[in-house]
Amino acid sequence: MPKLATPLNDIKVKNAKPQDKPYKLSDGGGLHLLVNPDGNKYWRLAYRFDTKQKTLALGVYPVVTLKDAREKTLAARKLLDADIDPAKDRDQKRHVANATSVNTFEKIAREWHQRKTESSWQPQTSVQNMRSLERDLFPYIGKLPISTIKTPLMLDVLQQIEKRGALEITRRLASLASAIFKYATVKGLMEYDPIAALKTELKPRVKGHHAAIKVAGLPDLLKAITKNEGRMYPPNRIGLRLMLLTFVRTSELIETPWSEIDLENEQWVIPWQRMKMGKKRLSPRMVDHHPFLPRQGWELLRELHQYTGGSKYLFPNRRDHEKPLSNGMILQALKRMGYGGEMTGHGFRALAKGTLKTLGYPIDRIERQLSHASGEAYGGSYDREDFLDERKEMMQHFADYLEQIERGNVVIGDFTRAA
């Protein structure tokens, strides 16, 4: 009958001295302490799996105590009872742990961002989204393994952004993060998207379009512009006036190079590549746009040319004249006038549309001037000459109407277009 090992105790383990050769102190059941000549002590478990004799390392004494070693032995025995090799199980868990530590939120987010940039995003969208991630998410969760990020943490992160009053930014970041988590789920790095459950927990954004005043507010807006013009840089003053007169998008005006402007013949054509619908990766609208400035608009451009005509852009960046001014120029001007949150650069388009409707112009003509109509809707003639004269007449009438309001000669709603 084989001799049973006497279980170890803490004192015996502690007092085990090194010898000339390694030796073992058995605790029974395959668990033993290996004592090396250098004095180091290692816990080992001897076991058989699939008819093979194997050894499992359980740690170094005294970091792993006798009690710890016995608990690890019990866990290993339970795996063996389930026909699982504890050594392979340990290696698999280490692999998962290593992968988890490497696959941080920032790493996966940048990988996802690169794929989207290469497949569908415009350069501007790519830059804006990365800036948002770097500013509002990476500082908080960037270094965390993505698999460890749960719903409560994301709620806390997004609510911190909400506290700034940036509800639209919060929603956009939630959408970006959700797409990243779904990408990680597809890659097998996590089990679910932690953003999905937050839909009802985040504050709702204010519904509607870009902030814009009503047509009835035109007289007060024009008074505010006139009152504040003396405090603005000349290009800023002119830019605000042109936004009012042209209906173009803020970027389409701010990023206009002088090469697109023909002051002598009073022609301004925006190449389709600069238009919103022309920038689409799929089925871009390849139709140039004619903004059609009224007489007052060309007067403003000639004045502007005296200030910035030597630069590449109508509105050059003050630090680098080879770059255009920031789109925020219009917003800042409106804010200083007391219209912060009530009016935006894009709001001038909505204001113009509403005003022209009250003046009796057909919606299709207004939409073409706003560059909203699709090339398919109007065929190849979308911007051909048979549409130009009526739009020119409309733009001049609109500018004259604004001029009459500023002079106090018009009461909103009573000025009608001549037949």
Side-chain angles (χ1 to χ4, degrees), residues 32-51:
H32 58 271
L33 183 71
L34 175 65
V35 183
N36 278 349
D38 59 7
N40 290 323
K41 303 172 184 179
Y42 303 91
W43 293 108
R44 297 288 188 265
L45 174 65
Y47 68 98
R48 294 186 68 84
F49 185 83
D50 196 20
T51 71

Side-chain angles (χ1 to χ4, degrees), residues 86-294:
K88 287 188 176 180
D89 181 72
R90 175 201 59 196
D91 293 342
Q92 289 174 352
K93 287 178 178 177
R94 284 178 178 173
H95 175 75
V96 170
N98 290 336
T100 298
S101 63
V102 169
N103 290 317
T104 62
F105 177 83
E106 180 173 348
K107 176 181 180 295
I108 301 305
R110 290 187 181 278
E111 182 180 309
W112 168 82
H113 180 274
Q114 182 63 31
R115 289 171 64 91
K116 295 292 288 184
T117 298
E118 293 174 352
S119 63
S120 58
W121 281 347
Q122 290 294 326
Q124 185 176 1
T125 301
S126 176
V127 171
Q128 288 177 343
N129 286 341
M130 181 50 67
R131 283 177 180 170
S132 295
L133 292 170
E134 291 176 338
R135 180 182 65 242
D136 291 315
L137 290 184
F138 289 171
Y140 299 100
I141 59 174
K143 291 182 170 57
L144 296 178
I146 196 166
S147 62
T148 66
I149 300 174
K150 307 300 180 184
T151 299
L153 174 58
M154 289 310 303
L155 177 61
D156 182 62
V157 170
L158 293 172
Q159 285 180 335
Q160 294 302 314
I161 302 170
E162 278 187 341
K163 290 177 182 178
R164 304 191 329 233
L167 301 186
E168 181 64 31
I169 292 176
T170 303
R171 288 281 173 176
R172 184 158 51 85
L173 282 167
S175 178
L176 285 175
S178 178
I180 293 166
F181 288 130
K182 288 174 182 175
Y183 173 69
T185 301
V186 171
K187 286 176 65 73
L189 300 177
M190 58 195 313
E191 296 181 357
Y192 66 96
D193 169 19
I195 299 292
L198 296 180
K199 199 170 190 180
T200 58
E201 300 301 320
L202 298 175
K203 293 180 182 179
R205 61 189 174 193
V206 179
K207 294 183 179 180
H209 301 287
H210 298 273
I213 62 171
K214 302 294 183 182
V215 175
L218 247 179
D220 288 338
L221 175 64
L222 291 170
K223 288 178 184 178
I225 292 175
T226 301
K227 180 180 178 181
N228 286 270
E229 281 180 333
R231 295 176 242 168
M232 297 183 193
Y233 289 109
N236 293 23
R237 167 178 56 80
I238 294 170
L240 196 61
R241 287 282 181 178
L242 287 173
M243 284 298 300
L244 187 63
L245 291 173
T246 64
F247 317 172
V248 295
R249 297 174 179 87
T250 307
S251 62
E252 291 165 1
L253 175 66
I254 298 298
E255 297 173 8
T256 295
W258 278 109
S259 59
E260 288 180 8
I261 304 294
D262 183 351
L263 289 174
E264 183 178 352
N265 297 306
E266 295 190 347
Q267 292 281 338
W268 178 18
V269 179
I270 302 178
W272 63 266
Q273 294 90 339
R274 280 214 306 119
M275 299 301 294
K276 178 180 178 181
M277 298 304 291
K279 293 178 180 178
K280 293 174 59 179
R281 283 183 179 268
L282 300 176
S283 302
R285 185 201 296 164
M286 294 183 287
V287 181
D288 297 340
H289 180 57
H290 297 252
F292 296 121
L293 271 69

Side-chain angles (χ1 to χ4, degrees), residues 350-369:
L351 178 62
K353 182 177 180 179
T355 304
L356 288 170
K357 286 170 68 177
T358 66
L359 294 177
Y361 284 95
I363 190 64
D364 62 336
R365 194 182 307 182
I366 300 171
E367 290 294 330
R368 283 177 234 167
Q369 184 60 33

Side-chain angles (χ1 to χ4, degrees), residues 15 36 58 131 141 151 162 167 222 288 296 306-307 344 360 370 379 402 408 417:
N15 293 334
N36 278 349
L58 300 180
R131 283 177 180 170
I141 59 174
T151 299
E162 278 187 341
L167 301 186
L222 291 170
D288 297 340
Q296 295 89 334
Q306 298 176 19
Y307 296 105
T344 62
L370 291 167
L402 297 181
R417 179 170 57 91

